[in-house]
Amino acid sequence: MRIGVVGAGILGLAIARRLAETRPGAQVTVLDKEARVAAHQTGHNSGVAHAGLYYAPGSLKATLCRRGIGLLKDYCAEKGLPYEECGKVVVARDAGELGPLDEIERRATANGVPGLRRLTGSELREIEPHAAGVAALHSPTTAIVDFPAVARAFAADVTAAGGEVRLGFEVVRLGRAGDRVRVGSPDEELLFDRLIVCAGLQSDRVARLAGDASGPAIVPFRGEYYRLVPSRTDLVRGLIYPVPDPRYPFLGVHFTRRVDGGVDVGPNAVLALAREGYRRRDVRPADLWETLRFPGFRHLARRHWRTGAKELYGSAVKRAFVAQARGFVPELTADDVVAAPAGVRAQAVDPDGSLVDDFRIGRAGPVVTVRNAPSPAATSSLAIAEHVTAHL
């Protein structure tokens, strides 16, 4: 059997690895248009291995995150990859955030997150001396990881098991040949018995090529970061997060220690003007027009324009961005941070304007389509691989 996987991000590679190692005799081929693996979301994320605090109990996110973080920890230990349980505090800044913090604690407990501890304001400062808040929830097993390194290790596992990772292969057409699938680039056509689409920022487009026209469309949001200057990284010991707004799947501006010792501050969430628009000057008119004419985006914009305007202001004015972050670390000043690389989130949006929160996986004949796989997909990658391949 020949099995193709579109997308050499961490999720596509995890699925290909699982297939190559558990399907004796199968020929597994990963296809990606870029010249390297982990070129997009995997290579631009915050590097956090999530313990499962926020997700609705019983959801795919909750189930696969809890399974996935254990598998990921073991894999990093096996391969000698960085994995540091620096811990996370979710901080309630005032009494108005105590109710939502209670709900996070309820969900985290139901999800079986280990070692949870509710903190008072003074107890918070024992863990994060420069943080401010009236209460917090501490997750000591939340960790930081080098996800691009994990993705490269997955790719090596695929080839070691007899599979192939083909870079520079852009999928521009899909078609049926009886029970099989034709996958074409501008220069070549391949034939597979099964195909799994894990195309991230291009996932809806490739799914439509496969005949899976229903489902959400991708609206790209650029997440912009600042980074603490080296002399100020002592402001943060681990991870400092806000109580998230339940209306959005975004977590808000937070502080993230990285495995290289740096500390990132962010991200905000502004509309990207290109599917892969990591810089403000990256504009692709065809991408922008596709977003603007999508009914779901217009519904979303009408419903949440005030939040969008606030995010744009934070993007344009550094002191406004820093002011948000200062709500958690009051000593922070604009001189303490410098611009850092941005990421782009492939946010799935339904036609009615609803932001898709849970993982969404579809099927069109011999093609499995991963239509929505936001955070904690990297944490959950090995568990998602188990889930997808079990239903192939």
Side-chain angles (χ1 to χ4, degrees):
M1 174 177 284
R2 297 195 66 191
I3 306 174
V5 178
V6 179
I10 195 169
L11 186 51
L13 291 166
I15 291 171
R17 173 185 176 273
R18 176 77 177 174
L19 289 167
E21 294 184 347
T22 62
R23 302 284 178 104
Q27 295 176 267
V28 180
T29 304
V30 181
L31 306 172
D32 197 287
K33 66 184 176 65
E34 304 298 347
R36 68 185 191 280
V37 303
H40 291 294
Q41 291 185 110
T42 303
H44 294 82
N45 70 19
S46 63
V48 176
H50 293 279
L53 274 70
Y54 309 102
Y55 319 122
S59 66
L60 272 180
K61 269 191 176 184
T63 302
L64 297 180
C65 181
R66 286 301 311 143
R67 169 71 176 159
I69 193 170
L71 294 173
L72 178 65
K73 181 178 180 179
D74 290 345
Y75 183 82
C76 288
E78 175 191 340
K79 297 292 183 177
L81 297 172
Y83 187 96
E84 180 185 344
E85 290 184 339
C86 62
K88 171 198 286 188
V89 288
V90 181
V91 178
R93 291 169 294 181
D94 54 45
E97 293 183 335
L98 292 177
L101 188 67
D102 290 341
E103 173 60 15
I104 293 172
E105 185 175 14
R106 184 194 70 79
R107 289 187 173 198
T109 301
N111 290 338
V113 177
L116 284 174
R117 187 161 69 100
R118 185 68 172 254
L119 306 176
T120 64
S122 59
E123 290 170 333
L124 166 64
R125 285 182 288 278
E126 291 175 8
I127 294 172
E128 290 287 355
H130 302 279
V134 298
L137 188 65
H138 182 219
S139 168
T141 61
T142 299
I144 51 177
V145 186
D146 184 346
F147 281 122
V150 174
R152 292 191 293 270
F154 286 171
D157 291 342
V158 171
T159 56
E164 184 180 12
V165 178
R166 293 198 56 183
L167 302 176
F169 189 107
E170 182 178 5
V171 175
V172 297
R173 60 185 179 277
L174 296 174
R176 297 286 179 83
D179 293 333
R180 295 191 287 179
V181 186
R182 293 192 304 270
V183 181
S185 75
D187 307 310
E188 188 177 359
E189 189 166 276
L190 303 174
L191 198 62
F192 296 104
D193 298 291
R194 297 287 186 272
L195 186 72
I196 302 110
V197 175
C198 303
L201 288 158
Q202 310 294 338
S203 60
D204 57 336
R205 291 170 172 171
V206 182
R208 286 196 296 268
L209 291 176
D212 185 5
S214 62
I218 295 299
V219 175
F221 285 91
R222 188 175 64 253
E224 297 167 328
Y225 289 86
Y226 284 92
R227 183 164 291 164
L228 293 185
V229 297
S231 62
R232 297 294 275 166
T233 57
D234 61 348
L235 287 175
V236 179
R237 289 180 173 177
L239 309 170
I240 303 174
Y241 276 56
V243 175
D245 186 330
R247 296 175 299 167
Y248 303 105
F250 312 111
L251 293 177
V253 171
H254 49 273
F255 293 79
T256 306
R257 182 164 289 280
R258 303 184 68 90
V259 292
D260 63 4
V263 177
D264 284 354
V265 186
N268 61 356
V270 297
L271 181 68
L273 305 183
R275 284 282 178 113
E276 297 162 6
Y278 298 101
R279 301 166 300 182
R280 294 177 186 177
R281 65 176 181 272
D282 290 339
V283 180
R284 193 169 186 272
D287 288 353
L288 181 57
W289 174 240
E290 184 178 354
T291 295
L292 294 178
R293 68 186 178 89
F294 172 50
F297 173 73
R298 296 199 296 271
H299 290 309
L300 177 70
R302 281 196 295 269
R303 200 174 300 155
H304 300 292
W305 67 268
R306 288 181 179 85
T307 299
K310 179 182 177 182
E311 293 291 304
L312 280 171
Y313 182 63
S315 172
V317 181
K318 180 180 179 180
R319 67 176 181 274
F321 190 107
V322 172
Q324 291 184 59
R326 193 182 295 123
F328 303 94
V329 179
E331 295 172 50
L332 187 73
T333 71
D335 292 334
D336 294 333
V337 297
V338 293
V344 179
R345 177 187 175 111
Q347 177 59 55
V349 179
D350 278 327
D352 66 357
S354 300
L355 294 161
V356 180
D357 185 40
D358 204 1
F359 300 145
R360 192 174 292 184
I361 300 168
R363 184 155 193 162
V367 182
V368 174
T369 56
V370 179
R371 298 296 298 260
N372 189 53
S375 178
T379 302
S380 311
S381 56
L382 290 168
I384 294 173
E386 290 179 339
H387 177 80
V388 170
T389 57
H391 296 86
L392 189 62

